[in-house]
Amino acid sequence: MTKAKTKNWVGFDLGGTKMVAVVYDSSFKVLASVKNKTPMRDGPKAILARIQETLSAALAAAGVEPANVRGIGAGCPGVLDLDKGVILEAPNLGWKKVPLQSLLKEWFASDVVLLNDVDAGTYGEFMFGAGKGARTLLGVFPGTGIGGGCVYEGKLIRGKSGSAMEIGHIPVRENGRLCGCGNRGCLEAEAGRLAISAEVAQATFRGEAPYVAENAGTDLKKIKSGLLAKSIKAGDASVERIVRNAMKLMGRGIGGVVNLLAPDVVVLGGGLVEAMPDLILEEVKQGMKEGGMASMVQPLKIKVAELGDDASVQGAAAWAAAELG
Amino acid sequence: MTKAKTKNWVGFDLGGTKMVAVVYDSSFKVLASVKNKTPMRDGPKAILARIQETLSAALAAAGVEPANVRGIGAGCPGVLDLDKGVILEAPNLGWKKVPLQSLLKEWFASDVVLLNDVDAGTYGEFMFGAGKGARTLLGVFPGTGIGGGCVYEGKLIRGKSGSAMEIGHIPVRENGRLCGCGNRGCLEAEAGRLAISAEVAQATFRGEAPYVAENAGTDLKKIKSGLLAKSIKAGDASVERIVRNAMKLMGRGIGGVVNLLAPDVVVLGGGLVEAMPDLILEEVKQGMKEGGMASMVQPLKIKVAELGDDASVQGAAAWAAAELG
C-alpha cells in the first residue's frame, strides 16, 4: 500500500433531488463518481440508507478501502450545527436533528466534516473554479432562494455553529414581500427565482407572456430557470423586464455586501445564472454600482461560476482536506 | 535593559479634532499617554509635525527609547492603502497620498502598522472591552456617518488594500437620500447622525422641538449627539421620534449584516450611543429583528462599547502586536 493511498478524500453533496459522492486521490484527481436520486418519498431513513449506499459504491468503484480515506466532506442543505455535526433542520429532506457526521464516521471509520452546501460550492469555485486565487471571494447562487458564501484569506466564513452569508435574507425593500424566514423585503423574497416565477405567472395570466403561456402556463412549479431563458429568447418582453428588474435588485443587494467584505472576486452561479449568464451579469453589474461604493465595486472582478453542479462536491472534499490537513 | 523593555507597543489614534499617542508595556499596561489637538487650520504639514511631536512626547513621558519600541499601530481616518501604508485620502485632514507608515518608520526606526480607525476601535473592544472573547464581533459606530468593523476568529476583516465593513454604505432605502458616496439610500444617509440632525433641524424650524430651538437653533453643526439626548430628556417628542426611527432603521441594516456574518457579539459605540444608550439599544434590537433572521439574531449578544475614546488607540497598539508578533 502506497503512502498516497492513505490520503484519499471523499466529497459528498446532498441535494433534495439527487446526491453525489466523488472519491479523489491526494492531489484531487477524480478516482470515481457515483450519483443517485434522493428518495424523497420514502422518508428520512431511506435517504440515509441511500447515502451509505452511494458512498460505498463510489469507494468500490475507485478501488479505495474506507481505511484509506483520510476524510469525508459533506455539503448539506438546511440549518447545521457544525460543532456537533448535526443537520438541525432540512425542510427539503424532511429532516430534523440528523447526526450525519457521526453516522458517516460510524459507517466509514473516517474523519468527517459537514458544511453548508452553498459554502461547499463557494469553496469549490475558490479552489478549482472561477474564484481561484481570490483573497476574498463572494459567491452568490440565485436559485429558488439566493444562497451566498465567502472565502476570506483561504477560509470559509461561518457562524459559531452554523452557516453565515445568508445573502438571500438581507433586507432590500421596506415593507416588501413576506419571506419564508418571517421577515419582509428579504432579497430572495424580492428577487429569487420563486419571486421571479410568481411575477411571471401573473404576467402570463394577464396574457403578457405567450411563450410561457404555451409551454408552462401559470403554475409556479413549471416556471423554472430554463423556461424563463427560453421565453426571453422567444420574445416575451414582460418576462425579460421582470428578470432584469430582479437581477438588478439582486446586484444592489450584492453591492451592499461588497461594501462590507470588499471582495476581489464575485462569482455568480446556480441554475438561473447558467440559463442566462450575459443578461444577469449585465443587470447585476448595474445594480452593484447603485448599491456598492465605487472604490469597492470598480476594482473587483465579477465572474460566472465554472464548475456547475460539481462545485459543491469538489468544495466539500477540499474543505475536508483544509480542515483535517 | 530588561528584555520586556524591547516589547513596548505604541498606539496612535489620528482624528480630525485630536490625536492621541499611548505607550504600553509588553502586557499592555499604559506607561504614558499624550493627547494633542489636530491643527486642522495649519495644513497637512503642520499635522504631520504634530504627530511626530505627540509620539515623541509620549515616549519621553514613558521613559521609553524608540529603540525599545517593538511596533507602532496607527488608527487613521479616510481611505487607506494598507499594502503601501499610505493614507490615500482623508477629507477630514485635507490629506491626499500621505505615506504615514514610512514617515513613522523613519522618525522612530520602528515597525509600523496602519489601520482604519473604526477597525482599530472594533479591535480594541475585542481585545479589552465589550467584545472580549467573541468568535465573530461586529462593531457599529454611528457618528457623523456610520462606521463598522468585524473581528472574525481573532482577525480584522479587511479589504485587499484598504478597509472593508463600510456598513454606513449598505443600501437600506430604494430611491433614498443622496449619500456622500454618490449612491442613494445608504444607511448613513438615512440614519447617520447628520441625517438625524438634518431632520431635527427641519422639525425645529417648524417649531416642533422647543429645546433644540432654544439651545442650538436650526444649524446642523450645532445639533450634536449630546444636544439630541438633552432635547429628548427635555421632552422634545419629535426629536425622540426622529432618533428612534433612525436607530430602528439602523438596526434593520445591522440585521442584514448579522445574516451575513453571524456574529456572536454586536458592539455599538460612538458619541450617539454614549449619549443615549438605552433608547438606541431598544430601537436597534427591534430593527434587528425585522432585518435579521431569528436564528441569527436570537443567540447573539448586543452590547454598548466599554472603552469610549480609548478603543481606537488601544486597538491600534494591540493590532500592531498581533500583526508584528
Side-chain angles (χ1 to χ4, degrees):
Chain A
M1 198 172 305
T2 66
K3 205 182 170 190
K5 275 222 164 179
T6 64
K7 276 278 195 181
N8 292 292
W9 299 101
V10 176
F12 185 71
D13 180 30
L14 177 58
T17 55
K18 61 182 191 308
M19 57 178 76
V20 189
V22 181
V23 182
Y24 301 88
D25 70 8
S26 59
S27 47
F28 281 93
K29 216 188 82 181
V30 174
L31 300 181
S33 173
V34 171
K35 193 177 291 190
N36 273 318
K37 279 197 178 166
T38 304
M40 284 302 300
R41 292 186 185 174
D42 305 336
K45 284 201 174 168
I47 299 175
L48 282 173
R50 184 68 54 87
I51 291 173
Q52 187 174 10
E53 196 185 305
T54 304
L55 280 160
S56 300
L59 287 168
V64 169
E65 295 288 323
N68 291 330
V69 172
R70 175 65 192 87
I72 301 173
C76 310
V79 183
L80 311 181
D81 182 330
L82 296 173
D83 289 341
K84 295 182 183 153
V86 173
I87 300 184
L88 293 176
E89 192 170 2
N92 286 347
L93 301 172
W95 275 8
K96 281 204 173 179
K97 293 198 182 166
V98 175
L100 188 63
Q101 187 174 36
S102 57
L103 287 171
L104 291 174
K105 269 188 185 173
E106 198 185 303
W107 296 337
F108 299 101
S110 167
D111 286 338
V112 177
V113 174
L114 301 193
L115 71 168
N116 173 276
D117 52 359
V118 179
D119 283 347
T122 303
Y123 195 69
E125 291 290 339
F126 168 72
M127 288 296 289
F128 309 110
K132 255 188 285 188
R135 178 179 176 278
T136 307
L137 170 66
L138 175 65
V140 182
F141 300 86
T144 312
I146 299 178
C150 179
V151 179
Y152 178 70
E153 294 190 340
K155 298 269 274 179
L156 279 166
I157 292 186
R158 296 179 308 167
K160 187 161 189 157
S161 61
S163 183
M165 290 300 142
E166 290 284 1
I167 194 173
H169 297 281
I170 55 170
V172 295
R173 191 162 278 164
E174 285 175 287
N175 306 313
R177 291 175 210 170
L178 195 61
C179 180
C181 77
N183 286 337
R184 284 192 173 277
C186 292
L187 180 58
E188 72 177 41
E190 300 290 340
R193 214 260 301 148
L194 209 58
I196 292 171
S197 297
E199 265 193 82
V200 166
Q202 291 173 66
T204 305
F205 182 85
R206 291 192 304 260
E208 293 166 23
Y211 182 92
V212 178
E214 204 179 315
N215 293 280
T218 52
D219 183 355
L220 268 194
K221 275 195 188 164
K222 294 185 181 161
I223 305 175
K224 293 189 178 176
S225 301
L227 181 104
L228 290 168
K230 281 180 194 160
S231 126
I232 292 172
K233 264 200 182 148
D236 283 356
S238 67
V239 174
E240 181 167 346
R241 208 163 48 238
I242 290 164
V243 172
R244 284 189 181 274
N245 280 344
M247 292 297 102
K248 193 170 158 190
L249 183 60
M250 186 177 80
R252 196 172 145 87
I254 295 173
V257 182
V258 164
N259 288 342
L260 296 170
L261 298 171
D264 42 342
V265 182
V266 175
V267 169
L268 299 178
L272 199 62
V273 175
E274 281 169 22
M276 38 194 150
D278 296 338
L279 181 153
I280 289 180
L281 271 186
E282 190 186 325
E283 294 299 331
V284 167
K285 280 181 184 171
Q286 186 55 40
M288 277 173 72
K289 280 186 202 162
E290 291 177 16
M293 300 169 79
S295 61
M296 301 277 196
V297 171
Q298 274 165 8
L300 69 77
K301 281 180 196 147
I302 174 159
K303 295 179 175 180
V304 171
E306 288 173 2
L307 306 180
D309 279 354
D310 296 336
S312 287
V313 70
Q314 288 192 47
W319 182 247
E323 290 279 280
L324 302 170
Chain B
M1 197 171 306
T2 64
K3 206 184 169 194
K5 276 221 166 180
T6 64
K7 276 277 196 181
N8 292 292
W9 299 101
V10 177
F12 185 70
D13 179 30
L14 177 58
T17 54
K18 62 183 191 306
M19 58 180 76
V20 189
V22 180
V23 182
Y24 301 88
D25 70 9
S26 58
S27 47
F28 281 92
K29 215 189 83 182
V30 175
L31 300 180
S33 173
V34 172
K35 195 177 288 192
N36 273 317
K37 279 197 178 164
T38 303
M40 283 302 302
R41 293 186 183 174
D42 305 335
K45 283 201 175 169
I47 298 175
L48 282 172
R50 184 66 56 87
I51 291 173
Q52 188 174 10
E53 199 183 303
T54 304
L55 280 160
S56 300
L59 287 168
V64 169
E65 295 289 323
N68 291 330
V69 172
R70 175 65 192 88
I72 301 172
C76 310
V79 184
L80 312 180
D81 182 332
L82 296 173
D83 289 341
K84 294 181 183 153
V86 173
I87 299 184
L88 294 175
E89 193 170 2
N92 286 348
L93 302 172
W95 276 8
K96 281 204 174 179
K97 293 197 182 169
V98 175
L100 187 65
Q101 187 174 38
S102 57
L103 288 169
L104 291 174
K105 268 188 186 173
E106 199 185 303
W107 296 337
F108 300 101
S110 167
D111 287 337
V112 177
V113 173
L114 300 193
L115 72 166
N116 173 275
D117 51 0
V118 179
D119 283 345
T122 303
Y123 195 70
E125 291 290 340
F126 169 72
M127 288 296 289
F128 310 110
K132 255 188 285 188
R135 178 179 175 275
T136 306
L137 171 66
L138 175 65
V140 182
F141 300 87
T144 312
I146 299 178
C150 179
V151 179
Y152 178 71
E153 294 191 341
K155 300 268 275 179
L156 279 166
I157 291 186
R158 297 179 308 168
K160 187 159 188 158
S161 62
S163 184
M165 290 300 140
E166 291 284 1
I167 194 173
H169 297 282
I170 55 171
V172 294
R173 190 162 277 164
E174 286 175 286
N175 306 312
R177 291 175 210 170
L178 194 62
C179 180
C181 78
N183 286 337
R184 283 192 174 277
C186 292
L187 180 59
E188 72 177 41
E190 300 290 340
R193 214 262 299 147
L194 209 57
I196 292 171
S197 297
E199 265 192 82
V200 167
Q202 292 172 66
T204 306
F205 182 86
R206 292 191 303 260
E208 294 165 23
Y211 182 91
V212 178
E214 203 178 314
N215 294 280
T218 52
D219 183 355
L220 269 196
K221 275 193 188 166
K222 294 183 182 163
I223 304 175
K224 294 188 175 176
S225 301
L227 181 103
L228 290 169
K230 282 181 194 160
S231 125
I232 292 172
K233 265 202 181 146
D236 283 356
S238 66
V239 174
E240 181 168 345
R241 206 162 51 236
I242 290 165
V243 172
R244 284 188 180 273
N245 280 344
M247 291 298 100
K248 192 169 159 190
L249 184 59
M250 186 176 81
R252 196 172 144 86
I254 294 173
V257 181
V258 164
N259 288 343
L260 296 170
L261 298 171
D264 41 340
V265 183
V266 175
V267 169
L268 300 178
L272 199 61
V273 175
E274 282 169 23
M276 39 193 145
D278 295 339
L279 181 152
I280 289 181
L281 270 186
E282 188 186 326
E283 294 300 331
V284 166
K285 280 181 185 172
Q286 186 54 39
M288 277 172 73
K289 280 186 203 163
E290 291 177 16
M293 300 169 79
S295 61
M296 300 278 196
V297 170
Q298 274 165 7
L300 69 76
K301 282 180 196 148
I302 174 159
K303 295 180 175 181
V304 171
E306 289 173 3
L307 306 178
D309 280 354
D310 295 336
S312 287
V313 70
Q314 287 191 47
W319 182 247
E323 290 279 279
L324 301 169

